[in-house]
Amino acid sequence: MSGRFINPVWIFRRFCSSGPSVVSSAKENTFVPRQSFDLPASFDKKSWFPMHMAVQLKRMEGKLRTVDLVVEVHDARVAITGRNPVFAKQLYAIRPHILVLNKKDLIDLVKYKQPIEDFYHRQGIEHVIWTNCKDSMSRNAAIKNLQDVIKDHLQNMQRFNRTVKTEYQIMVVGIPNVGKSSLINTLRFSNLNRGKAVEEGSRPGVTVRVQNRVRLLDKPPIYVLDTPGILYPHFDDVDSGMKLGIRITLI
């Protein structure tokens, strides 16, 4: 390779410009970033969807007959975007649903908490619980609040085909790496003073299949099913996917 210096700005402009490559002079900047990321019409947006997610989603649907309540955990940093709409259609459309926004310490609650809650109330989601499972100082009140909401739902709702059961069962769902397993372990320790029952980690994909149920509470007896993170199979447009990826990267 020759010793010529290659300007990285020129490379960026060459590949990001919406029009033909133009090398700008020092006096005139003609660089215009493209406004959309167009893919060929034949591009298969579903081709990336991991097979284990499709398989486990079907298993989750099959478990609904034994479930009284669905708890969806989501990352508070992307509180409105990024949720998997498949859950609404295939899981909690037929079961009561609680939304838990975890990692609340990573956003400005003073600025965003009320607008986010107002948004979800307009969507018909009555209970939005904010948690931070990593901070022992702030999690106690949040976990207590979540426990109260869960017990209130379980003890006052219509149980349909599970009226003869003396125990309750909830299913925890969400996209990868939002803290589902951490929340389960925190609830279990808070109620039973027992160690971790499900594996957790900082990287996504630690849980890859629907787990055996774990006891969460003694009075009333409540069990929980941990599930793998399930992403939406595709975005309707590439821009939405790009914006979500950039937003998560920046925060």
Side-chain angles (χ1 to χ4, degrees), residues 42-97:
S42 60
F43 183 80
D44 183 7
K45 300 184 180 67
K46 294 185 179 181
S47 62
W48 68 272
F49 191 55
M51 180 57 67
H52 83 272
M53 291 188 180
V55 171
Q56 295 305 313
L57 181 59
K58 291 186 179 296
R59 289 195 62 189
M60 291 159 64
E61 292 181 65
K63 292 282 188 180
L64 281 180
R65 183 175 293 274
T66 68
V67 170
D68 297 294
L69 175 69
V70 176
V71 176
E72 180 189 1
V73 184
H74 194 56
D75 193 323
R77 294 173 294 177
V78 283
I80 294 176
T81 57
R83 293 175 62 213
N84 189 343
V86 172
F87 294 149
K89 298 176 182 178
Q90 298 177 221
L91 297 180
Y92 54 77
I94 57 176
R95 284 291 183 268
H97 165 248

Side-chain angles (χ1 to χ4, degrees), residues 53 56-64 67-76 82-102 125 129 131 146 150 169-184 187 198 207 209-211 216 223-232:
M53 291 188 180
Q56 295 305 313
L57 181 59
K58 291 186 179 296
R59 289 195 62 189
M60 291 159 64
E61 292 181 65
K63 292 282 188 180
L64 281 180
V67 170
D68 297 294
L69 175 69
V70 176
V71 176
E72 180 189 1
V73 184
H74 194 56
D75 193 323
R83 293 175 62 213
N84 189 343
V86 172
F87 294 149
K89 298 176 182 178
Q90 298 177 221
L91 297 180
Y92 54 77
I94 57 176
R95 284 291 183 268
H97 165 248
I98 293 174
L99 176 62
V100 176
L101 295 177
N102 195 29
I125 298 178
I129 311 297
T131 61
L146 176 58
I150 289 176
Q169 186 156 277
I170 65 177
M171 178 185 287
V172 176
V173 304
I175 65 173
N177 209 34
V178 293
K180 298 182 294 296
S181 299
S182 297
L183 181 67
I184 291 173
L187 284 167
V198 293
T207 305
R209 61 181 59 86
V210 178
Q211 303 293 303
L216 207 62
Y223 293 83
V224 62
L225 290 172
D226 190 17
T227 64
I230 306 293
L231 289 167
Y232 191 37

Side-chain angles (χ1 to χ4, degrees), residues 99-116:
L99 176 62
V100 176
L101 295 177
N102 195 29
K103 307 182 183 181
K104 67 175 184 177
D105 56 308
L106 300 180
I107 71 166
D108 185 350
L109 286 176
V110 175
K111 183 177 181 180
Y112 294 113
K113 183 175 184 291
Q114 194 60 51
I116 290 171

Side-chain angles (χ1 to χ4, degrees), residues 71 73 98-104 128-152 170 172 178-193 200 216-217 222:
V71 176
V73 184
I98 293 174
L99 176 62
V100 176
L101 295 177
N102 195 29
K103 307 182 183 181
K104 67 175 184 177
V128 179
I129 311 297
W130 301 81
T131 61
N132 171 21
C133 295
K134 298 300 183 182
D135 182 7
S136 59
M137 295 293 292
S138 65
R139 74 185 177 193
N140 293 336
I143 292 300
K144 177 65 166 59
N145 183 29
L146 176 58
Q147 291 172 357
D148 292 342
V149 172
I150 289 176
K151 287 191 288 186
D152 181 67
I170 65 177
V172 176
V178 293
K180 298 182 294 296
S181 299
S182 297
L183 181 67
I184 291 173
N185 287 329
T186 301
L187 284 167
R188 179 177 167 85
F189 180 79
S190 175
N191 289 305
L192 304 177
N193 198 27
E200 58 183 83
L216 207 62
L217 195 67
I222 299 176

